[in-house]
Amino acid sequence: MSTHHRSDLVRYAAILALLAVALPLLLDPFRLNLIGKYLALAFVAIGIVLTWGYGGILSLGQGVFFGLGGYMMAMFLKLEASAPELPDFMVWSSVESLPLWWLPFKSFGITVLAILVIPAALAYLFSYAIFRRRVSGVYFAIVTLSLALTLTVVVVGQQGDTGGANGITDFRTIMGMDILSDSSLRWLYFIQVAFLAVAMALALLVVRSRFGKILIAIRDREDRVRFSGYDTAHMKAFVFACGAVLASVGGAFFTLQTGLISPSVIGVVASVEMVIYAAVGGRLSIPGAVVGALLIGFLKSYLSETFPEIWLYFLGAIFILVVWVMPNGLAGLKAQWQARKAVESAP
């Protein structure tokens, strides 16, 4: 086992110990719920590490898939809360019957399946068509950014189907269980940590596998990999679909933790923030992605409470400082320090 591999496993175990043992013992249900909200974004950050860090695919539209998962979970919860009547925002918009595409979300099983399958299928088909034309780099980032902006406009404009600018709100139960009670919030937190542990383990397996090595080769010299006979468009589309599934799962947990979903999580600002989580933690480190999401989430909450009028300036300064001082994120600090020491000790 390599030193780098062993280091990742140590970080993985330390993060799980912090999330599953230390934080539940130290924090009250309200603060634990906030941590759960940040962990929902950690799913997206892990996906960005796979797509951007290892695949070289910079997506500025991960909020699209995060929003898809969040809205699909919210549709199920809203139908359960409103049954047998129509959701309130549909009544206010003079909708007389439930839209056909809402009907499958009366079933929890179908909802979970849709959260996993629909974003994966859409992401694969969308990205494969683009990668086949050898569109990559900044051009792909612009396309995904445009996709996030377009979907935000569509969601806001369809008041009767999506809740419009207000989103979908006002639900309290899942399968008859009150999701806002303290005990339910704790159980939900532990379930989320378990899913996150599985997501981290699967991501680590991917990057340590033969596919992960080919992915790195595609990132560095795609033309050589293509000339070796590999379908690079298929491989890039596959890892992009993996990132979309992780974002969708994170969106579903975000809806459960916050009790609402709105177009703001789909938009450009949210999508760019999601990339920053991975950049701060380290775009080549899966444990670092989780740390980055927790750190930025905490800073957003703390700064907005302490400096409500100027907190965004503080957050922007932190982002600039991290990129300037730590180009490889928090996870790269050790290697950066060792490299500096080697240069200083060289004759």
Side-chain angles (χ1 to χ4, degrees), residues 123-179:
Y124 180 86
L125 295 173
F126 165 77
S127 60
Y128 185 71
I130 293 176
F131 294 142
R132 279 293 299 270
R133 295 179 177 272
R134 300 187 183 178
V135 175
S136 59
V138 68
Y139 301 104
F140 184 79
I142 292 172
V143 170
T144 55
L145 192 68
S146 302
L147 184 64
L149 182 60
T150 302
L151 187 60
T152 303
V153 173
V154 171
V155 170
V156 172
Q158 300 299 313
Q159 171 70 38
D161 291 335
T162 64
N166 295 323
I168 303 177
T169 62
D170 195 23
F171 38 77
R172 295 183 57 90
T173 62
I174 178 170
M175 309 289 286
M177 181 180 68
D178 184 2
I179 59 174

Side-chain angles (χ1 to χ4, degrees), residues 77-341:
L77 297 174
K78 190 63 176 178
L79 287 174
E80 183 181 48
S82 304
E85 306 294 332
L86 288 175
D88 48 15
F89 63 85
M90 290 187 182
V91 176
W92 300 334
S93 301
S94 301
V95 175
E96 297 181 354
S97 61
L98 192 69
L100 290 177
W101 60 280
W102 271 71
L103 293 177
F105 295 98
K106 289 184 175 182
S107 166
F108 181 70
I110 293 177
T111 300
V112 172
L113 186 64
I115 288 170
L116 298 175
V117 173
I118 292 178
L122 291 177
Y124 180 86
L125 295 173
F126 165 77
S127 60
Y128 185 71
I130 293 176
F131 294 142
R132 279 293 299 270
R133 295 179 177 272
R134 300 187 183 178
V135 175
S136 59
V138 68
Y139 301 104
F140 184 79
I142 292 172
V143 170
T144 55
L145 192 68
S146 302
L147 184 64
L149 182 60
T150 302
L151 187 60
T152 303
V153 173
V154 171
V155 170
V156 172
Q158 300 299 313
Q159 171 70 38
D161 291 335
T162 64
N166 295 323
I168 303 177
T169 62
D170 195 23
F171 38 77
R172 295 183 57 90
T173 62
I174 178 170
M175 309 289 286
M177 181 180 68
D178 184 2
I179 59 174
L180 299 181
S181 68
D182 288 351
S183 60
S184 295
L185 288 174
R186 292 186 71 86
W187 275 109
L188 177 60
Y189 173 82
F190 284 114
I191 292 170
Q192 187 173 351
V193 169
F195 271 82
L196 185 66
V198 172
M200 291 175 65
L202 291 176
L204 283 171
L205 287 175
V206 168
V207 300
R208 298 299 176 191
S209 68
R210 183 169 179 269
F211 174 77
K213 293 179 174 61
I214 296 173
L215 200 61
I216 295 173
I218 292 173
R219 179 196 66 191
D220 295 338
R221 290 300 301 267
E222 183 176 355
D223 53 347
R224 290 190 176 184
V225 179
R226 189 185 302 114
F227 292 150
S228 299
Y230 290 97
D231 186 349
T232 59
H234 166 70
M235 291 184 166
K236 290 167 71 175
F238 175 77
V239 76
F240 186 70
C242 291
V245 172
L246 286 169
S248 179
V249 171
F253 276 114
F254 182 85
T255 297
L256 289 169
Q257 292 284 4
T258 60
L260 59 89
I261 192 72
S262 69
S264 63
V265 301
I266 302 174
V268 172
V269 175
S271 295
V272 173
E273 279 187 5
M274 292 170 186
V275 175
I276 292 172
Y277 299 145
V280 170
R283 67 188 182 99
L284 290 173
S285 172
I286 291 161
V290 179
V291 173
L294 287 171
L295 178 61
I296 299 302
F298 169 77
L299 286 175
K300 284 180 67 176
S301 296
Y302 174 76
L303 292 174
S304 61
E305 292 173 3
T306 309
F307 309 101
E309 296 182 356
I310 58 172
W311 70 274
L312 279 174
Y313 296 104
F314 281 101
L315 198 60
I318 291 170
F319 292 156
I320 294 171
L321 185 63
V322 166
V323 173
W324 181 27
V325 178
M326 300 180 295
N328 294 318
L330 295 172
L333 276 180
K334 182 179 179 182
Q336 188 176 337
W337 179 78
Q338 289 175 339
R340 183 176 299 175
K341 293 292 290 184

